[in-house]
Every structure is written in structure tokens, then in C-alpha cells.
Amino acid sequence: MRRAKRCQNVCVPISQVNLIFDSRTVWRDLTIWLRSYVNMKHGGLGDEEAIKEKINKVLRQSIHIFSTVFGEEYADEYVNLINEIVRYLGLLIQAQIIRNANMEKESKEKLQEIPEETGTLLARVNPYWEKEQWIELFSLYNQRIIEQSTALLNRDDKEDIYVFDRLLSLSSRIGDYYSRGILDYLMYTGRSIDGK
């Protein structure tokens, strides 16, 4: 009750409420479309260009949210890192399919490096995010995607379902942390996103 009384005088504009909601759900949407991409690459089912366009649409939404809150100067760096995850995921899947162990190893190593770079950027941009937390979340995310690709490669449907369920739960954790950091940043810095 004490917390509710303290927060009664806080007014969050509807534009910020919508932005916070969208910042949370973008991670789940990305996970769902990356699953479609991984399935399409392994099974050849689906329209690759249409799936890539959906992934790009989700990424554009993510970049819009990011640049609206933190400005254009950081948005390019952020989008490059997120695009690297998608790029190396594609290379990893290709390597698994053609059984190229060196290419698979290089892709996995790169997917393990990106969380450090992303965590550094996000902690630099927003003091309400911790670098170590982002490294942990993105490392787990990339690992789960690798596990999903491996399950599909091995035609292990039960493992694929299990991993996807864990990916959805993880995407919710990431979305919660991401949106909470944006909310804290907007509330405690007094930054406004009027009409955006």
C-alpha cells in the first residue's frame, strides 16, 4: 500500500504506456519469427523472403522504440548488433546443414561474442540496465537458438518443442527487463516522448 500511495501522483502518458508495452512484446515477436526462420532453413518449408521481411519488420519496430527513447546516435549501433545475431544464426544453420564444422564453430563463437558488445552498449545508453544482466540474457538467448537449430537438424521434435518453450519464457524475461529499463529511464530522467 505504501508504494501505491507514493506512485499516485505519477502520470504516465498513453504514448509512453504504448511504447513500454511494445518494447516488451517485440522480443516475443522476434522469437516467434526466428523460429519460423530456423524451421524454414532446416525444412525448406515457407517463403524465406516473407519470413525475412517479418523479421526485418520486428527489428524496425525495435529500432524505432530504441531510437525514440535513446536517440538516433545509438540506434545504428544497436541495429548492427541485433542484425549480427540474425546473420550469424543463418550462417550457423547453413554450416549445420552442409556439415561444415569449422563454419559452425566460427558462427557459434561469434554468437557468444555479441552479448558482450550488446551488453556494453545497452548499459552505456541506459543507467537502469546492467551490462552483466544483458550478457547473461543474450548469451542464453543465443544458446537456446543454437539448441533449437541442433534439435531440428537431428529431427528431435520433442527437444525442439522443449527448447522453443524455454525460448518463449526467456523472451518474456528479456522483454520484461528491456521494458522496465525503458520505463525507469523515462520516469527517473524526466525524458518525454510526446506524441511518439
Side-chain angles (χ1 to χ4, degrees):
M1 279 305 222
R2 191 176 292 162
R3 178 167 164 69
K5 278 190 167 188
R6 264 197 344 249
C7 292
Q8 284 179 349
N9 294 330
V10 175
C11 180
V12 179
I14 193 69
S15 60
Q16 288 185 9
V17 170
N18 290 336
L19 183 112
I20 298 304
F21 178 78
D22 289 346
S23 71
R24 185 181 185 285
T25 60
V26 75
W27 290 99
R28 192 167 188 93
D29 292 347
L30 182 61
T31 299
I32 290 167
W33 287 109
L34 282 176
R35 177 182 171 80
S36 293
Y37 178 73
V38 172
N39 282 333
M40 182 275 309
K41 292 297 266 183
H42 279 287
L45 300 174
D47 181 339
E48 183 170 359
E49 290 308 311
I51 293 170
K52 281 184 177 179
E53 180 52 37
K54 287 300 286 187
I55 291 171
N56 287 332
K57 183 179 178 184
V58 172
L59 291 176
R60 283 191 302 271
Q61 180 185 8
S62 178
I63 297 313
H64 172 72
I65 293 166
F66 193 86
S67 63
T68 297
V69 176
F70 302 110
E72 296 289 328
E73 63 191 85
Y74 297 113
D76 288 339
E77 197 174 345
Y78 177 71
V79 73
N80 289 338
L81 289 167
I82 299 301
N83 279 330
E84 287 288 287
I85 292 171
V86 175
R87 179 172 163 248
Y88 282 102
L89 172 62
L91 290 173
L92 171 74
I93 295 167
Q94 181 183 352
Q96 287 180 324
I97 291 169
I98 64 173
R99 309 265 188 218
N100 184 329
N102 288 335
M103 186 175 157
E104 182 178 352
K105 182 178 181 237
E106 288 173 18
S107 298
K108 283 181 179 178
E109 286 172 357
K110 190 60 180 172
L111 283 168
Q112 292 168 350
E113 291 171 15
I114 294 171
E116 175 81 26
E117 297 170 48
T118 309
T120 299
L121 169 67
L122 294 176
R124 186 176 75 226
V125 169
N126 186 352
Y128 300 98
W129 285 330
E130 295 178 16
K131 175 182 173 179
E132 293 75 23
Q133 181 67 36
W134 277 121
I135 292 170
E136 177 188 338
L137 290 170
F138 281 126
S139 294
L140 279 172
Y141 193 83
N142 291 347
Q143 184 57 42
R144 296 291 177 264
I145 290 175
I146 292 167
E147 290 169 4
Q148 182 181 37
S149 181
T150 303
L152 286 166
L153 180 71
N154 296 331
R155 308 268 187 243
D156 188 342
D157 293 335
K158 286 184 179 180
E159 180 67 10
D160 175 46
I161 291 167
Y162 174 71
V163 171
F164 182 60
D165 188 50
R166 292 174 72 196
L167 256 172
L168 285 176
S169 294
L170 182 58
S171 71
S172 293
R173 277 183 59 202
I174 292 171
D176 287 344
Y177 190 66
Y178 188 71
S179 61
R180 183 63 198 193
I182 289 175
L183 179 62
D184 289 346
Y185 180 83
L186 292 172
M187 288 184 64
Y188 298 117
T189 63
R191 173 116 161 69
S192 175
I193 57 160
D194 299 321
K196 291 185 182 178

